[in-house]
Amino acid sequence: MRILVTGGAGFIGSHLIDRLMAQGNEVICLDNFYTGTKRNILKWMDNPYFELIRHDITEPIRLEADQIYHLACPASPVHYQYNPVKTIKTNVMGTMNMLGLAKRVKARILLASTSEVYGDPSVHPQTEDYWGNVNCIGIRSCYDEGKRVAETLAFDYHRQNGVDIRVVRIFNSLTGDQKVIYYKDDRLYYETFEECYSRIGEDISNVSVPCFDEQGKMRLKPISAIWKHKVTKPGYKITTTWGKEVKITEDHSLFTCDEEGLPQAVFGKDLKVGDKVAVPSYIPFMERPLDPFYISDKINAPGLWVVSEDAIAYLEKFREQIYKYFAQKGISNRQYFSTIKKYEAANKMPWQLWQELGLPLTKKERIAGYQSVKEIKNYIENVSDFLWFLGFYLAEGCLIHTEKDRQLVFSSNVKYLEKLIEVTRELFGCECEIRFDPEEKRAPSVHIRSKIIVDLVVNVLGFSKELSTKKDIPNWILQLPKSQLVHFLHGFWEGDGNLDAKTTGSLLVFNSSSQKIIEKLVLILANFGIVGSVSEFETTVRKGDSKKYKSYRITVQGLDDYSILNLANVKQKLQAKITGDLAWGKVKAIEKFEIDEDVYDFSVPDGENFVGGNYCVCCHNTYGTRMLENDGRVVSNFIVQALRGIPLTVYGDGSQTRSFCYVSDLVEGIMGLMNGDNIGPMNLGNPGEYTILQLAQKIQEMVNPGTEIIYKPLPQDDPKQRQPDITRAKTWLGWEPKVPLAEGLKLTIDDFRDRLLNS
């Protein structure tokens, strides 16, 4: 689509252009650089789909466009009051020229109006039906009345000439089922975007995602927002090389590579089969190693007993404390001695009592369940073998879970079951054996009957009770360092069995009937910088069965070493172009579908992308700052003053209110109105209301707590209240702002700080 943006080098216009270019549109930026700056659009100057024209819209111009975003006009009091006649001409003559252009080329035009049309409102909050309270001869009237006339012109052109208009009143600007990977603090989550949004809510503090930088190198970067809005529009399911999939709206972007091999965002609707899109060949992880541990510290379950050769000595030494403990538990004096004798006879005591006495644990203590004669080691020292054990269980293990019985059951070939028996003996100090089916309908198996081991593996460590098709790899596994991950992978691979038939020295194969497991294995391999190809196939459960079930397979090729235990040192040669940590996979299939639900997006400063979809695809997002230092508006005034260490100037007593909507939210709403069915006028802003003094104090606290706040007389016609009613935007666009004030201020402060330091 060919799109004209007037005032495109300004604060809001440049952010809008970023979004339009990311969607793959052809964009013309029209600006006379009265308040705009080329710095804001510099990154697009060499793009063949971007054109910059220096032009004053008070003069006619002949262009061709499908859509016109008419944003041109100085918006801050400092600038529009400097030349009030010019401001009126821009609003009236400039708007007439743009409406005339839209009429001639039959383009849809969006007029960026303002909350100033409400003047100093007597209605609070302000709805679109309110006509306003404006001083028509005041010092702000050039802007207020200019925008009111611009709206009048827009609706008259619409009624008289059928021009397709949209009118937005801007207040102060500052498919949920797709999987995303992100961190909250240092804990990894891999879940649907809907689940992510529900978990995070408005608290985006310490949330980060993997994304690539300008060189295609993957990094972990903090998000500035998570968005959710309802859409009714087409979507596309994109399937690429290596079986990767992602579902996006028609105006959401993936990344293709430009002529220099660098990532370039392109709309989903503009992708074609055969195009190359970016997928991560490497994903960075925050490591959290598993250290040797005491099982009793993990499960802390009622009925747990500590078996120790020192039990009798402890029972003798702490008679008085034990007596008090028994009294608290309601054990009578008559039961005291008989209970102690039972403990002494078994050389054990309850774990709760052990803790109550503050007794030390050593590697030699063992643990047992209540009324159980089976003891196991309490200290897991060999973490490598333990992770192998967990991987083996995940591959082919299952759970027997009844009121009377708890068992982990493993099925595989004899060679690896014998290894399992040895590992179990060393880890837990318990014996088990291989069971064979006399009719040979079932594979050989090993049963480990221990409520403690079941509780540890299934409940504590997250290897759930689900059936094999629903099994999952707990997220904490993904954060293990590579030196530990290889042992988990090795156990999974060997537990799968029949390896000689699958591995020839030029393949590495992982199978599972659970798609969740395969998704996590893709992430684990990406930690090693390895890309696996995912495919689906059908298989039977046991010999002689005719019913087939869907299963999943990861096939890895191109490694210089196929030893799993050496994966941290291997190199992979892909038959695909590589840019940094990005591999360029071809689009294999595009499936169009209709969306009528909530969709989601991250905002990632300086990254503008994140990893999403099934099996990991790089998805695009847009974000930015760029308010002028001499803007004259309250946010920029306070920030610049605080950064320079000069007093923050509050006009009046600071009780006048404003609403502050971050620019990424605003651009989203503007584009939603342009591409929707409602012509407006429509308020876009943040209904959260703050006094000017509250804002000054907030910025003072965030930037320079020692900065003084001073007060000066209130300027003429300065409105006392400003708060949008955004019911229409919610109803018609499914839009509402998502970036909290504190987060938006932080990002804007950082942007100003960088510019002031570099100026």
Side-chain angles (χ1 to χ4, degrees):
M1 188 176 291
R2 187 176 176 86
I3 300 175
L4 170 65
V5 181
T6 72
F11 169 48
I12 297 173
S14 63
H15 286 287
L16 175 62
I17 285 176
D18 286 350
R19 289 294 299 270
L20 296 173
M21 289 296 294
Q23 293 174 348
N25 295 293
E26 186 177 347
V27 177
I28 303 172
C29 172
L30 209 65
D31 207 300
N32 67 352
F33 297 105
Y34 176 54
T35 58
T37 171
K38 288 183 180 179
R39 177 184 62 215
N40 290 341
I41 52 174
L42 190 62
K43 66 179 178 180
W44 301 116
M45 298 295 277
D46 295 328
N47 192 299
Y49 295 101
F50 177 76
E51 185 176 355
L52 171 64
I53 300 175
R54 181 188 286 269
H55 181 79
D56 190 322
I57 62 165
T58 59
E59 301 293 334
I61 189 170
R62 297 183 69 85
L63 294 168
E64 299 292 331
D66 301 305
Q67 290 183 344
I68 301 170
Y69 286 89
H70 179 33
L71 277 61
C73 183
S76 75
V78 168
H79 295 127
Y80 67 64
Q81 291 175 18
Y82 177 76
N83 190 341
V85 174
K86 180 69 173 179
T87 299
I88 293 174
K89 289 174 68 177
T90 300
N91 278 319
V92 178
M93 297 173 63
T95 300
M96 287 183 68
N97 286 332
M98 290 302 107
L99 287 165
L101 175 61
K103 174 187 172 183
R104 182 177 65 81
V105 301
K106 295 181 172 55
R108 176 177 291 181
I109 180 171
L110 180 142
L111 169 66
S113 187
T114 174
S115 61
E116 299 296 322
V117 299
Y118 299 121
D120 189 7
S122 56
V123 171
H124 194 71
Q126 295 83 56
T127 69
E128 292 87 349
D129 296 326
Y130 175 55
W131 291 354
N133 179 33
V134 179
N135 177 2
C136 65
I137 59 172
I139 62 173
R140 301 171 70 103
S141 304
C142 59
Y143 186 65
D144 300 359
E145 294 286 27
K147 286 295 187 182
R148 287 164 71 92
V149 173
E151 287 194 21
T152 301
L153 285 167
F155 277 88
D156 283 342
Y157 265 82
H158 173 66
R159 286 186 288 259
Q160 181 175 326
N161 301 307
V163 174
D164 190 5
I165 66 167
R166 299 291 185 270
V167 176
V168 57
R169 290 172 179 167
I170 299 172
F171 284 66
N172 286 359
S173 297
L174 268 172
T175 92
D177 64 343
Q178 295 299 281
K179 298 287 185 68
V180 288
I181 178 173
Y182 67 98
Y183 288 87
K184 178 68 175 172
D185 298 314
D186 64 345
R187 186 174 296 277
L188 179 143
Y189 294 92
Y190 176 72
E191 58 192 1
T192 67
F193 228 143
E194 183 178 11
E195 292 169 328
C196 169
Y197 186 87
S198 177
R199 184 186 304 277
I200 292 176
E202 295 185 358
D203 182 15
I204 61 170
S205 59
N206 299 320
V207 176
S208 57
V209 298
C211 62
F212 62 80
D213 61 18
E214 294 179 354
Q215 286 74 44
K217 290 289 186 180
M218 296 297 295
R219 302 284 187 264
L220 290 174
K221 292 190 176 182
I223 71 168
S224 65
I226 180 171
W227 299 331
K228 168 187 174 182
H229 58 280
K230 178 73 177 291
V231 302
T232 302
K233 62 174 66 175
Y236 294 89
K237 177 182 176 182
I238 311 295
T239 304
T240 78
T241 309
W242 307 300
K244 298 178 181 295
E245 298 175 350
V246 66
K247 289 161 61 178
I248 58 176
T249 61
E250 63 178 356
D251 52 5
H252 200 97
S253 306
L254 302 183
F255 290 90
T256 59
C257 63
D258 62 16
E259 296 177 354
E260 297 179 359
L262 296 175
Q264 173 178 289
V266 63
F267 259 168
K269 64 183 176 63
D270 295 328
L271 283 171
K272 302 182 296 295
V273 172
D275 285 350
K276 295 178 180 179
V277 296
V279 301
S281 62
Y282 163 74
I283 297 178
F285 287 82
M286 294 184 189
E287 293 185 353
R288 299 178 68 184
L290 179 65
D291 297 321
F293 63 92
Y294 291 99
I295 297 176
S296 56
D297 287 339
K298 295 286 186 182
I299 61 175
N300 200 20
L304 188 67
W305 291 71
V306 179
V307 182
S308 172
E309 61 186 30
D310 298 321
I312 295 176
Y314 288 143
L315 291 169
E316 287 288 338
K317 182 177 180 180
F318 298 103
R319 291 277 184 178
E320 186 174 341
Q321 292 97 314
I322 294 172
Y323 183 82
K324 290 180 180 178
Y325 174 82
F326 282 0
Q328 293 173 353
K329 296 294 182 181
I331 298 176
S332 66
N333 291 338
R334 288 190 305 171
Q335 296 173 305
Y336 175 84
F337 288 106
S338 61
T339 302
I340 289 293
K341 290 299 181 184
K342 289 180 181 178
Y343 293 173
E344 291 176 342
N347 244 16
K348 64 183 182 182
M349 69 176 72
W351 169 236
Q352 289 182 339
L353 177 57
W354 189 280
Q355 290 178 299
E356 182 74 18
L357 299 176
L359 300 177
L361 281 175
T362 66
K363 298 178 184 180
K364 63 184 181 181
E365 272 81 39
R366 299 168 70 88
I367 53 176
Y370 179 66
Q371 292 184 339
S372 173
V373 296
K374 292 184 178 179
E375 306 169 4
I376 66 169
K377 292 180 179 179
N378 188 31
Y379 188 68
I380 300 297
E381 185 170 19
N382 191 330
V383 172
S384 298
D385 277 359
F386 182 66
L387 291 170
W388 181 94
F389 177 88
L390 294 176
F392 197 92
Y393 170 72
L394 190 71
E396 290 296 338
C398 64
L399 173 67
I400 295 177
H401 190 281
T402 66
E403 290 185 5
K404 297 182 178 180
D405 197 10
R406 303 283 193 280
Q407 292 186 53
L408 300 181
V409 181
F410 301 77
S411 297
S412 187
N413 63 33
V414 173
K415 174 182 178 181
Y416 295 109
L417 289 179
E418 288 175 343
K419 180 176 179 179
L420 172 66
I421 290 172
E422 181 62 29
V423 168
T424 303
R425 181 185 299 116
E426 292 299 319
L427 283 175
F428 304 108
C430 60
E431 298 292 336
C432 46
E433 60 184 19
I434 300 176
R435 298 185 184 182
F436 295 92
D437 180 13
E439 299 180 1
E440 297 185 349
K441 292 183 178 181
R442 298 177 181 272
S445 62
V446 168
H447 293 237
I448 299 177
R449 180 178 280 112
S450 169
K451 291 182 180 180
I452 295 175
I453 296 176
V454 168
D455 191 25
L456 175 67
V457 172
V458 175
N459 299 322
V460 174
L461 298 179
F463 292 83
S464 68
K465 304 173 185 176
E466 298 284 357
L467 298 174
S468 59
T469 56
K470 302 291 184 180
K471 279 185 178 180
D472 197 0
I473 298 176
N475 288 333
W476 66 267
I477 290 286
L478 276 64
Q479 292 191 252
L480 293 171
K482 297 181 183 67
S483 59
Q484 293 186 337
L485 265 177
V486 292
H487 297 285
F488 175 81
L489 283 177
H490 198 226
F492 183 92
W493 184 71
E494 292 189 333
D496 195 23
N498 300 316
L499 305 178
D500 295 336
K502 295 188 306 184
T503 308
T504 64
S506 59
L507 287 177
L508 186 60
V509 178
F510 299 93
N511 294 319
S512 178
S513 58
S514 168
Q515 186 176 13
K516 292 180 180 179
I517 288 178
I518 295 297
E519 289 176 0
K520 294 286 183 67
L521 288 175
V522 167
L523 292 173
I524 290 174
L525 289 172
N527 193 352
F528 292 95
I530 295 172
V531 177
S533 181
V534 179
S535 59
E536 298 180 6
F537 65 99
E538 292 186 334
T539 185
T540 58
V541 174
R542 58 180 66 91
K543 293 180 180 179
D545 283 357
S546 58
K547 188 175 181 179
K548 293 186 177 181
Y549 299 87
K550 181 185 288 188
S551 288
Y552 304 85
R553 173 175 295 150
I554 300 178
T555 304
V556 179
Q557 294 178 282
L559 302 183
D560 58 4
D561 184 349
Y562 286 90
S563 169
I564 291 181
L565 294 178
N566 198 35
L567 282 185
N569 303 310
V570 305
K571 303 293 183 183
Q572 184 180 30
K573 185 176 182 180
L574 293 172
Q575 293 182 341
K577 188 175 181 179
I578 303 294
T579 301
D581 295 323
L582 303 179
W584 297 102
K586 287 186 178 180
V587 175
K588 295 291 188 180
I590 301 175
E591 180 182 340
K592 188 176 181 179
F593 62 97
E594 293 300 319
I595 301 174
D596 186 11
E597 59 190 43
D598 290 324
V599 295
Y600 303 81
D601 200 359
F602 281 129
S603 180
V604 190
D606 301 323
E608 301 185 359
N609 63 88
F610 58 92
V611 175
N614 289 345
Y615 316 124
C616 304
V617 179
C618 293
C619 304
H620 181 260
N621 75 280
T622 304
Y623 168 84
T625 42
R626 308 168 196 158
M627 294 181 76
L628 289 173
E629 294 92 331
N630 62 342
D631 188 280
R633 285 177 279 192
V634 63
V635 172
S636 51
N637 275 357
F638 287 160
I639 292 175
V640 172
Q641 288 171 342
L643 287 171
R644 289 175 173 166
I646 60 179
L648 276 63
T649 305
V650 172
Y651 293 94
D653 61 2
S655 62
Q656 61 270 42
T657 66
R658 297 291 185 269
S659 68
F660 303 100
C661 178
Y662 197 68
V663 65
S664 56
D665 285 334
L666 180 62
V667 168
E668 190 75 20
I670 289 173
M671 294 176 66
L673 179 61
M674 170 64 95
N675 296 296
D677 298 324
N678 190 288
I679 66 173
M682 187 174 291
N683 292 337
L684 291 182
N686 194 325
E689 188 179 18
Y690 298 86
T691 68
I692 296 298
L693 182 57
Q694 285 176 324
L695 179 69
Q697 292 169 338
K698 183 72 174 177
I699 293 175
Q700 177 192 46
E701 174 190 344
M702 295 176 70
V703 180
N704 189 348
T707 305
E708 181 185 1
I709 295 177
I710 61 174
Y711 298 85
K712 291 187 177 182
L714 194 67
Q716 180 185 339
D717 297 332
D718 193 67
K720 297 181 179 63
Q721 292 178 310
R722 187 72 82 227
Q723 182 187 21
D725 183 315
I726 61 170
T727 302
R728 283 191 187 179
K730 287 182 177 179
T731 303
W732 286 93
L733 306 181
W735 178 91
E736 58 183 315
K738 300 299 181 187
V739 181
L741 176 64
E743 186 64 25
L745 286 176
K746 178 181 181 300
L747 295 164
T748 309
I749 289 165
D750 290 345
D751 179 65
F752 274 122
R753 181 181 284 115
D754 289 343
R755 279 188 279 157
L756 290 174
L757 286 174
N758 294 326
S759 63

